[in-house]
Amino acid sequence: QYLAEKVGELGNLEELKANDSKYSRLREKLTEYFARFPDEKVVLFSYFRVTLDYLRERLRKDGVETFILKGGMGEKDQLVEDFKNHKGAAILLSSEVGSEGIDLQFCRVVINYDLPWNPMKVEQRIGRIDRLGQESKVILVWNLFSQDTIDSRIYERLFKRLKIFEDTFGAIEEVLGDEIRELTNSLMSGQLSVEEELERIEQTAIALENRRQQEGELEE
């Protein structure tokens, strides 16, 4: 209810289009990449369905061929097949429904347009292309977020420390979920200073690091 009351003060779609530095950065990088690799396929994940619709509209106007995958669309295997067989460069815009159960190893770039705070969710996304049958020696993971935000602090202090873009996280999803939920509640409370946010993220990173080490020792 509070958001519904405030949404009119946040601007409108035209203002967003005129000032959306995040989209501008995406367009810039895609233009560079497709100029070098004109037949490549790229996968982009966003948590929000309306964000996918927004990106499809803007990318199409900018001449980028798009396919969209989100819940309630029917046969996703056929969509993936159409995307794979499309002649020329294209981008698959996917919600979380595409982070499990589909094979995209014919792609070597995955873009996180918004970054889940749970590292397991990020691993699931990357796992769509980092799998058996991937022929590229290197896969690319592009993460988009605004500077000086909670997202950027999560990336710098949690994800980099845990090396989630380098190592698999292992089978500790239940523990991980509890830790991330507690961290989310703290960060979204609006009661912490930037320094306190950093300290809270650091505490979570240490806890998860210790847990992963314990799991590794148990496995050995």
Side-chain angles (χ1 to χ4, degrees):
Q1 183 179 354
Y2 175 80
L3 289 174
E5 293 170 354
K6 293 293 182 182
V7 70
E9 302 172 14
L10 299 177
N12 57 46
L13 184 58
E14 294 309 312
E15 284 184 295
L16 172 62
K17 289 178 178 178
N19 298 283
D20 190 350
S21 59
K22 193 175 189 180
Y23 176 77
S24 296
R25 182 63 170 167
L26 172 67
R27 180 179 57 197
E28 172 193 337
K29 299 304 290 182
L30 284 177
T31 300
E32 291 175 3
Y33 189 74
F34 286 148
R36 293 177 58 199
F37 307 104
D39 295 320
E40 285 286 321
K41 305 295 187 296
V42 170
V43 185
L44 179 149
F45 283 100
S46 174
Y47 183 81
F48 302 102
R49 293 164 58 99
V50 290
T51 301
L52 298 176
D53 294 333
Y54 166 76
L55 290 175
R56 176 170 60 176
E57 177 190 341
R58 298 210 62 182
L59 287 167
R60 282 182 170 176
K61 285 184 178 179
D62 287 326
V64 179
E65 186 64 36
T66 63
F67 293 77
I68 192 164
L69 176 61
K70 53 187 180 180
M73 292 190 61
E75 185 53 58
K76 62 182 180 181
D77 290 338
Q78 184 59 55
L79 178 74
V80 170
E81 194 66 20
D82 293 343
F83 171 58
K84 179 181 179 180
N85 294 328
H86 174 76
K87 296 186 183 301
I91 183 167
L92 176 66
L93 307 173
S94 179
S95 67
E96 295 303 321
V97 73
S99 65
E100 296 183 88
I102 61 172
D103 297 327
L104 298 168
Q105 64 268 47
F106 55 90
C107 306
R108 56 176 173 165
V109 177
V110 61
I111 302 172
N112 291 306
Y113 196 75
D114 46 54
L115 204 59
W117 292 358
N118 187 332
M120 292 295 292
K121 298 293 185 183
V122 181
E123 278 198 355
Q124 287 174 351
R125 291 178 173 187
I126 298 171
R128 297 307 94 211
I129 69 171
D130 186 18
R131 58 196 306 104
L132 192 65
Q134 174 59 257
E135 295 182 358
S136 178
K137 293 182 179 179
V138 176
I139 62 170
L140 303 177
V141 182
W142 295 347
N143 303 303
L144 287 165
F145 47 82
S146 300
Q147 291 181 331
D148 301 322
T149 61
I150 292 178
D151 283 351
S152 67
R153 292 190 272 280
I154 289 281
Y155 178 81
E156 293 291 338
R157 296 301 182 99
L158 184 69
F159 286 3
K160 279 192 173 180
R161 175 167 186 148
L162 296 174
K163 298 181 179 179
I164 69 159
F165 301 109
E166 302 168 38
D167 307 322
T168 182
F169 212 89
I172 60 170
E173 185 167 6
E174 185 174 344
V175 174
L176 190 68
D178 290 340
E179 289 285 353
I180 296 299
R181 272 191 294 275
E182 290 182 16
L183 175 63
T184 300
N185 289 337
S186 298
L187 296 180
M188 297 302 287
S189 68
Q191 299 176 351
L192 302 182
S193 65
V194 171
E195 290 75 18
E196 289 170 333
E197 286 178 358
L198 292 172
E199 182 179 352
R200 184 69 185 85
I201 294 169
E202 186 76 11
Q203 290 170 352
T204 302
I206 292 172
L208 294 178
E209 205 169 33
N210 291 339
R211 182 68 188 210
R212 181 158 64 175
Q213 184 177 346
Q214 292 169 6
E215 292 287 329
E217 291 171 356
L218 283 172
E219 285 181 9
E220 288 182 11

